[in-house]
Amino acid sequence: MLTLDTEETTALDYSVVNASIQETFTAIDKFEWQAIDELSLMRDKGYYFDGGHESFEDYCENELTKHGGYRRVRDLLSAKKVVDTLPEELRVKITKPSQTRPLLRLVKTPDKLEQAVAIAAKEKPFPTAADFALAVQKVVPKNTSPTRTSSTKQEKVKTQLCNFATVSSLSHPRYGESGVIEADAPNNYQQIVTFSDGERLLVNNSDLADLNDAIVSESSGRTYPKEYSEAIAAIEERHKQELERLSQEMRIGLQTEATAKAEEQVQEQIQSLQQLFKQQKEENIQLQQRLSEMEGLRKLEAENQQLRQRIQDLENAVEQRPSQQWGNTMTQQATKALNKQVKQALEKTIDLRSLAQEPPKENAQECLRLMGMALKNLASAMNNTQALEAAAIILGSEPTPTAIAYRAEQLEMLPQAVSDIRAVLAKPGCSSQEFWAVAQEYEVIKSDYWAELTTQETELISTLQNASLQPRTIGIGSIVAHADPYRTLYLERGEVVDEVGGKVVVAWDHWRNELKKTQSYSREELRFWQGENQ
């Protein structure tokens, strides 16, 4: 292909320019056929889906608009269909896709298509679209059989056909071009025009004018009787009112649906906010408990600091005198501090003589506990190892101050544990869950409170534990919640009030103020209620 330069055009001769023109047109035709192959590949393999297009037509209209869109692509693919129908020796006669437009009507009859191309090739080595159109007319002549009646002719458009018609509308893409009208008008307002490049277009009568103004349309002068005009106007008015009514009903329906959806969304948001408020309330309670614990720890730390300071003062007092002056004596200040501590310890010590005069009224275990505590305090005050071992034997722990103090704290809970367990066992219809809720608080002293219970009470506890091992069945009176964690009823409490047809009827607590108070479920959809902190 030749690239022209203004400074070198004078040096070019005819043969060079002509060769370049021939090569350019050949390249144009080649690229056009190449585009057809690529379009076929895009359509047949469905590659347009990868680009997010719903259909091949959608792809053409979105991506190829500046190249003619789907209409041009359809013409190009139709040209390929015509060429593929021809034998190999006749395909070379068609040099560009636009020449195949007159041949499209013969694609379904390959023998006539081959005959038309052969006729056009005899007249010219490389026929044009007009040559193919004339050949098609020879192979398939236009039907001129006079079978139409005069009344049928009157119903057709009264338009004279002329050999040539020119597009006179400035807005039409074919403005100024002339074409041939070779077929009857499809309606009262348009004509089928075949242009010089073989393309057939449907053109409005208002956009056409032949050199002699031969096209005359009488459709615009059509009139109706007065009664027909009134009837037509009434029908149009009724049709307009019906359209307005349908539009109004559609608007009302859409508004109702939108309102229902909005209300449903608001209800869901309210439920979510209520749940969030409940969670925040629980978190606030937990934070308050933690703050209380931290305040207690802070007080203990302050007391420990005071004790450490006191110990440091004592140590400093002892170190004020040289070691050679001590001997087996103590300084007056150290002796005073030690006597003060011994006095405080003895004040906290239980008088064993008072226990002998008036033993505890609760039980012997309480008496042993008090004796152990007295011996422990005495051992601490006097630094007596034998008293510490005696306290450990009585309390049943290791002979260390820490172990004895921990055991004493456990035994302090024993009277309250026995009282709470007997209270829950005395309730009518006591369940294993109720017993376990109390007993798990005193699990560390189970052997101690078990020895204090009567035979009937221990047998009742064994019966409750055996019953808890059997699987429970949801029935009337069961307190339940929904088993699906993604349902709002998963955290709500309900009671089974009836059984109907293999299903249970549940009355939900938060539906008490609603119109709908109960709902039936299968047992697999429900679970036992486990409390607020489940």
Side-chain angles (χ1 to χ4, degrees), residues 325-356:
Q325 297 181 6
W326 270 97
N328 294 326
T329 62
M330 299 179 68
T331 63
Q332 183 179 1
Q333 185 176 1
T335 303
K336 182 178 179 181
L338 183 58
N339 290 336
K340 184 177 181 181
Q341 285 189 345
V342 171
K343 184 177 180 181
Q344 291 177 353
L346 292 176
E347 288 177 354
K348 297 180 181 179
T349 303
I350 300 175
D351 191 353
L352 295 179
R353 290 174 297 180
S354 64
L355 292 177

Short mmCIF file of all heavy atoms in Angstrom, two decimals, residues 325-356:
data_model
loop_
_atom_site.label_atom_id
_atom_site.label_comp_id
_atom_site.label_asym_id
_atom_site.label_seq_id
_atom_site.Cartn_x
_atom_site.Cartn_y
_atom_site.Cartn_z
N GLN A 325 25.20 -6.41 119.91
CA GLN A 325 24.43 -5.93 121.04
C GLN A 325 23.13 -6.71 121.24
O GLN A 325 22.42 -6.45 122.19
CB GLN A 325 24.13 -4.45 120.89
CG GLN A 325 25.39 -3.58 120.88
CD GLN A 325 25.05 -2.12 120.76
OE1 GLN A 325 23.88 -1.74 120.79
NE2 GLN A 325 26.08 -1.28 120.63
N TRP A 326 22.80 -7.57 120.29
CA TRP A 326 21.52 -8.28 120.37
C TRP A 326 21.57 -9.38 121.41
O TRP A 326 20.78 -9.41 122.34
CB TRP A 326 21.13 -8.87 119.00
CG TRP A 326 20.33 -7.92 118.19
CD1 TRP A 326 20.79 -7.11 117.23
CD2 TRP A 326 18.95 -7.70 118.33
NE1 TRP A 326 19.78 -6.36 116.72
CE2 TRP A 326 18.61 -6.70 117.39
CE3 TRP A 326 17.95 -8.21 119.14
CZ2 TRP A 326 17.34 -6.23 117.24
CZ3 TRP A 326 16.66 -7.73 118.97
CH2 TRP A 326 16.35 -6.74 118.03
N GLY A 327 22.51 -10.30 121.25
CA GLY A 327 22.55 -11.47 122.13
C GLY A 327 21.26 -12.24 122.02
O GLY A 327 20.80 -12.55 120.93
N ASN A 328 20.65 -12.56 123.14
CA ASN A 328 19.36 -13.25 123.17
C ASN A 328 18.23 -12.31 123.52
O ASN A 328 17.18 -12.72 124.03
CB ASN A 328 19.40 -14.42 124.17
CG ASN A 328 20.36 -15.49 123.73
OD1 ASN A 328 20.49 -15.72 122.54
ND2 ASN A 328 21.03 -16.14 124.69
N THR A 329 18.46 -11.00 123.35
CA THR A 329 17.45 -10.02 123.70
C THR A 329 16.96 -9.32 122.45
O THR A 329 17.49 -9.48 121.37
CB THR A 329 18.03 -8.98 124.65
OG1 THR A 329 19.09 -8.30 123.99
CG2 THR A 329 18.54 -9.66 125.92
N MET A 330 15.92 -8.48 122.55
CA MET A 330 15.34 -7.70 121.46
C MET A 330 15.31 -6.25 121.87
O MET A 330 15.27 -5.93 123.04
CB MET A 330 13.92 -8.19 121.15
CG MET A 330 13.84 -9.65 120.73
SD MET A 330 12.15 -10.15 120.42
CE MET A 330 11.81 -9.19 118.98
N THR A 331 15.33 -5.40 120.93
CA THR A 331 15.22 -3.98 121.24
C THR A 331 13.84 -3.67 121.76
O THR A 331 12.88 -4.43 121.54
CB THR A 331 15.51 -3.15 120.00
OG1 THR A 331 14.50 -3.44 119.04
CG2 THR A 331 16.87 -3.45 119.42
N GLN A 332 13.73 -2.60 122.42
CA GLN A 332 12.44 -2.23 123.01
C GLN A 332 11.38 -1.99 121.93
O GLN A 332 10.24 -2.39 122.07
CB GLN A 332 12.62 -0.98 123.87
CG GLN A 332 11.34 -0.55 124.61
CD GLN A 332 11.57 0.67 125.46
OE1 GLN A 332 12.67 1.19 125.49
NE2 GLN A 332 10.55 1.11 126.16
N GLN A 333 11.80 -1.37 120.79
CA GLN A 333 10.83 -1.06 119.72
C GLN A 333 10.37 -2.34 119.04
O GLN A 333 9.18 -2.51 118.75
CB GLN A 333 11.48 -0.12 118.70
CG GLN A 333 10.51 0.35 117.62
CD GLN A 333 11.16 1.36 116.70
OE1 GLN A 333 12.33 1.66 116.88
NE2 GLN A 333 10.40 1.86 115.75
N ALA A 334 11.32 -3.29 118.76
CA ALA A 334 10.94 -4.54 118.10
C ALA A 334 10.04 -5.36 119.01
O ALA A 334 9.06 -5.97 118.56
CB ALA A 334 12.18 -5.33 117.73
N THR A 335 10.35 -5.36 120.30
CA THR A 335 9.53 -6.12 121.23
C THR A 335 8.12 -5.55 121.30
O THR A 335 7.12 -6.29 121.32
CB THR A 335 10.16 -6.10 122.63
OG1 THR A 335 11.48 -6.63 122.54
CG2 THR A 335 9.34 -6.93 123.61
N LYS A 336 8.03 -4.24 121.28
CA LYS A 336 6.71 -3.59 121.33
C LYS A 336 5.88 -3.94 120.08
O LYS A 336 4.71 -4.26 120.17
CB LYS A 336 6.90 -2.08 121.44
CG LYS A 336 5.60 -1.31 121.55
CD LYS A 336 5.88 0.18 121.70
CE LYS A 336 4.58 0.95 121.80
NZ LYS A 336 4.81 2.41 121.92
N ALA A 337 6.55 -3.91 118.89
CA ALA A 337 5.83 -4.25 117.64
C ALA A 337 5.39 -5.69 117.65
O ALA A 337 4.27 -6.02 117.23
CB ALA A 337 6.73 -3.95 116.44
N LEU A 338 6.26 -6.62 118.09
CA LEU A 338 5.91 -8.04 118.09
C LEU A 338 4.77 -8.32 119.06
O LEU A 338 3.85 -9.08 118.78
CB LEU A 338 7.14 -8.87 118.44
CG LEU A 338 6.95 -10.40 118.41
CD1 LEU A 338 6.47 -10.85 117.05
CD2 LEU A 338 8.24 -11.09 118.82
N ASN A 339 4.84 -7.70 120.25
CA ASN A 339 3.77 -7.90 121.22
C ASN A 339 2.42 -7.41 120.69
O ASN A 339 1.37 -8.00 120.96
CB ASN A 339 4.11 -7.19 122.54
CG ASN A 339 5.26 -7.87 123.26
OD1 ASN A 339 5.51 -9.05 123.04
ND2 ASN A 339 5.96 -7.11 124.12
N LYS A 340 2.47 -6.32 119.91
CA LYS A 340 1.22 -5.79 119.34
C LYS A 340 0.62 -6.79 118.34
O LYS A 340 -0.59 -7.03 118.32
CB LYS A 340 1.49 -4.46 118.66
CG LYS A 340 0.24 -3.80 118.11
CD LYS A 340 0.58 -2.45 117.51
CE LYS A 340 -0.67 -1.78 116.98
NZ LYS A 340 -0.38 -0.46 116.35
N GLN A 341 1.49 -7.42 117.51
CA GLN A 341 0.98 -8.40 116.54
C GLN A 341 0.44 -9.63 117.24
O GLN A 341 -0.60 -10.19 116.85
CB GLN A 341 2.10 -8.81 115.56
CG GLN A 341 2.41 -7.75 114.53
CD GLN A 341 3.36 -8.27 113.45
OE1 GLN A 341 3.96 -9.31 113.64
NE2 GLN A 341 3.46 -7.54 112.37
N VAL A 342 1.12 -10.10 118.27
CA VAL A 342 0.64 -11.28 119.00
C VAL A 342 -0.70 -10.99 119.64
O VAL A 342 -1.62 -11.82 119.63
CB VAL A 342 1.69 -11.70 120.05
CG1 VAL A 342 1.12 -12.79 120.96
CG2 VAL A 342 2.95 -12.18 119.37
N LYS A 343 -0.83 -9.76 120.17
CA LYS A 343 -2.10 -9.40 120.80
C LYS A 343 -3.24 -9.39 119.79
O LYS A 343 -4.33 -9.87 120.06
CB LYS A 343 -1.95 -8.03 121.46
CG LYS A 343 -3.19 -7.59 122.23
CD LYS A 343 -2.94 -6.25 122.91
CE LYS A 343 -4.19 -5.80 123.68
NZ LYS A 343 -4.00 -4.49 124.33
N GLN A 344 -2.97 -8.82 118.57
CA GLN A 344 -4.01 -8.81 117.53
C GLN A 344 -4.38 -10.22 117.11
O GLN A 344 -5.56 -10.53 116.87
CB GLN A 344 -3.53 -8.00 116.33
CG GLN A 344 -3.40 -6.51 116.59
CD GLN A 344 -2.85 -5.77 115.40
OE1 GLN A 344 -2.44 -6.39 114.43
NE2 GLN A 344 -2.82 -4.43 115.50
N ALA A 345 -3.38 -11.11 116.98
CA ALA A 345 -3.67 -12.49 116.59
C ALA A 345 -4.49 -13.21 117.64
O ALA A 345 -5.42 -13.97 117.33
CB ALA A 345 -2.37 -13.24 116.31
N LEU A 346 -4.17 -12.96 118.94
CA LEU A 346 -4.92 -13.63 120.00
C LEU A 346 -6.33 -13.12 120.10
O LEU A 346 -7.26 -13.84 120.48
CB LEU A 346 -4.18 -13.43 121.34
CG LEU A 346 -2.83 -14.16 121.46
CD1 LEU A 346 -2.16 -13.80 122.78
CD2 LEU A 346 -3.04 -15.66 121.35
N GLU A 347 -6.53 -11.84 119.74
CA GLU A 347 -7.89 -11.30 119.75
C GLU A 347 -8.77 -12.00 118.72
O GLU A 347 -9.97 -12.13 118.89
CB GLU A 347 -7.86 -9.79 119.49
CG GLU A 347 -7.31 -8.99 120.66
CD GLU A 347 -7.23 -7.52 120.32
OE1 GLU A 347 -7.50 -7.17 119.15
OE2 GLU A 347 -6.91 -6.71 121.22
N LYS A 348 -8.13 -12.42 117.60
CA LYS A 348 -8.89 -13.12 116.55
C LYS A 348 -9.03 -14.61 116.84
O LYS A 348 -9.74 -15.31 116.14
CB LYS A 348 -8.21 -12.92 115.19
CG LYS A 348 -8.17 -11.49 114.73
CD LYS A 348 -7.48 -11.38 113.39
CE LYS A 348 -7.40 -9.93 112.93
NZ LYS A 348 -6.71 -9.81 111.63
N THR A 349 -8.29 -15.12 117.78
CA THR A 349 -8.28 -16.55 118.07
C THR A 349 -9.52 -16.93 118.87
O THR A 349 -9.92 -16.23 119.82
CB THR A 349 -7.03 -16.95 118.85
OG1 THR A 349 -5.88 -16.56 118.11
CG2 THR A 349 -7.00 -18.45 119.10
N ILE A 350 -10.14 -18.02 118.49
CA ILE A 350 -11.32 -18.51 119.20
C ILE A 350 -10.88 -19.17 120.51
O ILE A 350 -9.92 -19.96 120.54
CB ILE A 350 -12.09 -19.50 118.31
CG1 ILE A 350 -12.52 -18.80 117.02
CG2 ILE A 350 -13.27 -20.10 119.02
CD1 ILE A 350 -13.16 -19.71 116.03
N ASP A 351 -11.56 -18.86 121.58
CA ASP A 351 -11.22 -19.41 122.88
C ASP A 351 -11.73 -20.85 122.95
O ASP A 351 -12.94 -21.11 122.86
CB ASP A 351 -11.88 -18.57 123.98
CG ASP A 351 -11.34 -18.94 125.36
OD1 ASP A 351 -10.57 -19.92 125.44
OD2 ASP A 351 -11.68 -18.23 126.32
N LEU A 352 -10.82 -21.82 123.07
CA LEU A 352 -11.22 -23.23 123.11
C LEU A 352 -12.06 -23.53 124.35
O LEU A 352 -12.90 -24.42 124.34
CB LEU A 352 -9.96 -24.12 123.09
CG LEU A 352 -9.13 -24.04 121.81
CD1 LEU A 352 -7.91 -24.94 121.94
CD2 LEU A 352 -9.95 -24.42 120.61
N ARG A 353 -11.83 -22.78 125.41
CA ARG A 353 -12.62 -23.00 126.60
C ARG A 353 -14.11 -22.65 126.39
O ARG A 353 -15.00 -23.31 126.90
CB ARG A 353 -12.05 -22.19 127.77
CG ARG A 353 -10.70 -22.72 128.26
CD ARG A 353 -10.09 -21.82 129.29
NE ARG A 353 -9.81 -20.50 128.74
CZ ARG A 353 -9.26 -19.51 129.46
NH1 ARG A 353 -8.96 -19.68 130.75
NH2 ARG A 353 -9.02 -18.36 128.90
N SER A 354 -14.33 -21.63 125.57
CA SER A 354 -15.73 -21.29 125.27
C SER A 354 -16.40 -22.40 124.47
O SER A 354 -17.59 -22.65 124.62
CB SER A 354 -15.79 -19.97 124.51
OG SER A 354 -15.15 -20.11 123.25
N LEU A 355 -15.63 -23.07 123.60
CA LEU A 355 -16.21 -24.20 122.85
C LEU A 355 -16.55 -25.36 123.78
O LEU A 355 -17.53 -26.07 123.57
CB LEU A 355 -15.22 -24.67 121.77
CG LEU A 355 -14.96 -23.71 120.62
CD1 LEU A 355 -13.93 -24.29 119.68
CD2 LEU A 355 -16.25 -23.41 119.87
N ALA A 356 -15.72 -25.56 124.80
CA ALA A 356 -15.99 -26.66 125.74
C ALA A 356 -17.23 -26.36 126.57
O ALA A 356 -18.02 -27.26 126.89
CB ALA A 356 -14.79 -26.89 126.63
#
